Each structure stands twice: as C-alpha cells, then as structure tokens.
Amino acid sequence: MKEATYDIVVKNGLVIDPYQDIHEVMDLAISNGKIVDVRKGINESLAGKVIDASGLIVTPGIIDIHVHCCYNILNIGIDPESCCLEKGCTTVLDAGSTGELNFRGFRKYVIERSRTRILALLNIESLGMIEYGSQGQKWPKLIMEYEELFINVENTVKVIEDNRDVILGIKWAHHGLTGLRLAREAADRAKCILMAENHLEPETIKYLKKGDIVTHSFHGLKWMGNPYDGILNEDGNVKPEFYDAIKRGVIIDVGHGAASFSWKVAEKAFSQGVKPDTISTDLHVSSVKGPVYDMPTTMSKFLLLGMSLEEVIRASTSKPAEVIGMLGEIGTLKPDARADVTIFKLEEGKFQYTDCMKESRIGKQKLTPVKVIKDGRIII
Ligand SMILES: [Zn+2]
C-alpha cells in the first residue's frame, strides 16, 4: 500500500492530548489543515516540512475562553494576533467586549481579518465594555449610571441569531442584578450559554445553569462593600451555592485579569476540592503587561498551584473546546481535527509569578510556546 504524503510532520515530541488519553513521545502528521495521524514512527521523508520537537511538549492548539480582543474597536481590546495566537492560543472566546450596538464592527474589522479563531460572547449591555479610557484607565461611574438604560434584550437576541457562527452566548459583567436577570432572559430566549462574573455572590451563581460559566472564580476582591464576595464565605469555606452549581454542571473558569486572581483564594478552594474546569486569562489592555502577560504564564501559575501538567493542558484544550461546543474539531490532536498545534518548552528552575493582590510566588516550572500551528499553517 502506498503511504500518504504530509504537509508537516512533527517528530519526537511528548504529545499530551488529554482527550485521547495520550501522554507519550510520538509523531504528528498534518495535511490540508487537518491532523491526519498521531503515532510513533511516522515517515518524515514523506513530509513537506519536518519539525523536530525532541524534548518539547506537543499539545492541541490552546483555547482561551476569556479574552478581550476587540482591538481598535473599544479601548479594552488587545491585539489577538500578537497577544493570543503568537502565544499559543489558536482559538479565543471574546468575553463580552462588545454588545448588540457595536458587535458588527468587531466582527467585520477584527474577527474576519484575524488568523486567530475568534468566537464571542455578546455583552448584555448594548455598548459592551466602554468603561475603559484610551490609556486603559477605568471609568466605573459612567457605566454604573447608565447600566440599566443600555440593555435591549430584543436586539441582543436578534444579533445573536444573525451571528450564530461566531456568537456563542451572553456575558454579564458586574453591573447589577437587573442586568443579570436580563442576561438570563436573553440567554434563554437565544438558547445559548451565559458567562457571569463571580460578583454579587452568592446570588449570581444561582442564575447559572448546566454549561454556563462563572469566571473570575478565584478573585480576592471586596465588592460593592461585601468583603466576602466570590467563592469563599467569611470562614474561608467554599460557599455551598458553588458546590450546588458544580453539581448541576456550571463551569468554573479562571479569568485571571488585572484584579481577579488571588493565590490565597485559589489555594483555599483547591484544598476543598474546587479546581478550575477551564484556565483563561481575561487578557485586556490593563492585564496584558502584567500580572497576566499571556496564557502560558497563566497555565504555569496553575502548575505552581499543584495541578498536573495533564490537568493544566486539559483545562486549556479539551475542556474549553467542550464548553464552547467544538470538541473534536478543536481541543484534540485526533485525526480529522483541525491542525491547531502548540509546541511548548517546559523549563525547570525558579520563576516568579504574581497574582492580582501583588503577592509573588516562586514556581519550579515555566511553559513557553516555541511553535504554533493554526489550521495547518505555521504561525511562529
Ligand atoms: Zn473580562
């Protein structure tokens, strides 16, 4: 039988694909933008291009389900190409940067022109996240004043229906329970997922159903005068409402951001058995220069917290793919999946990582992306 020819063969990398239960040194073959084979001993002489991944880790293209990449549309947005794709994230979910009034520009001028695969949640607020100034400074008073005026459920549902290929759901930020109720109504009417920020707890989490997402899960902020907002109550225990939510299939997401990740809160939650389903950055104009930087740095922080490499990669590949309904097409290196591949170097040493409370910890490992392939095309 004649052997196939390949566009790219990745040789001798430690392939970690939690979806297929693979954690082994293997080769990977790519043709026509798809994965065509994963096994030992693929004949590289049949490949147009050979990548030697000896000593490196080969994973499905990383998926970050909380970013703000409405670049040049709203001030909050970062450039998805340099901040996400070139850092290993072949697919991102924009978490409600725009709303029904400004989504179209985001779609036309960013989503359709980027090599990064960008999907979106529509903000329940019609104007999306307009509260950032041109220097990244926040104007919370502006949004608080107008929060309830700028929501139109009817139009929100219509924009979702017109853009089903890109919009996967609704995002509710932290602007009042009226907004949350309307977000729930819009998500139910549009039959889509709802992502809510972990604020005004334990009320917010009660609104979330199976497949919905709570983000900023490990924030350590006081919020609206409530010192115990978020996942923990005053005695440091996980609020019972969160266990109920986990039981009914609500997704626990990281959403690190500039103010939404605390080592102490994460450690307390971990010690009570609550770990994130999905690791995500909340990359935006005020988090990209630190403390977030990028997805590999965020993943490395969860290695520091004691998650295994396998768990960290699952929470950044197959699990987010499942959450956004694309598992099999992305999130795995299974033959016939899109050829999205991230190749990492895992360095051992002493690395400083900082949370949003300005507390630093020293980790022993650091993931650095060295090669990114999206739809069979080499990006870096
Ligand atoms: Zn965000």
Side-chain angles (χ1 to χ4, degrees), residues 66-68 76 94-97 129 132 171 173 195 197 215-216 255-257 260 281-284:
H66 189 154
V67 304
H68 297 281
I76 189 175
D94 182 277
S97 303
M129 297 183 163
Y132 283 79
K171 169 77 188 290
M195 176 191 273
E197 293 186 359
T215 190
H216 303 329
H256 186 313
S260 304
T281 57
D282 189 17
L283 266 180
H284 55 71

Side-chain angles (χ1 to χ4, degrees), residues 91-94 111 117-121 165-166 168 324 326:
T91 302
V92 299
L93 181 64
D94 182 277
I111 296 174
R117 184 176 301 107
I118 303 172
L119 301 155
L121 302 174
D165 56 333
V166 172
L168 306 181
I324 63 175
M326 293 181 75

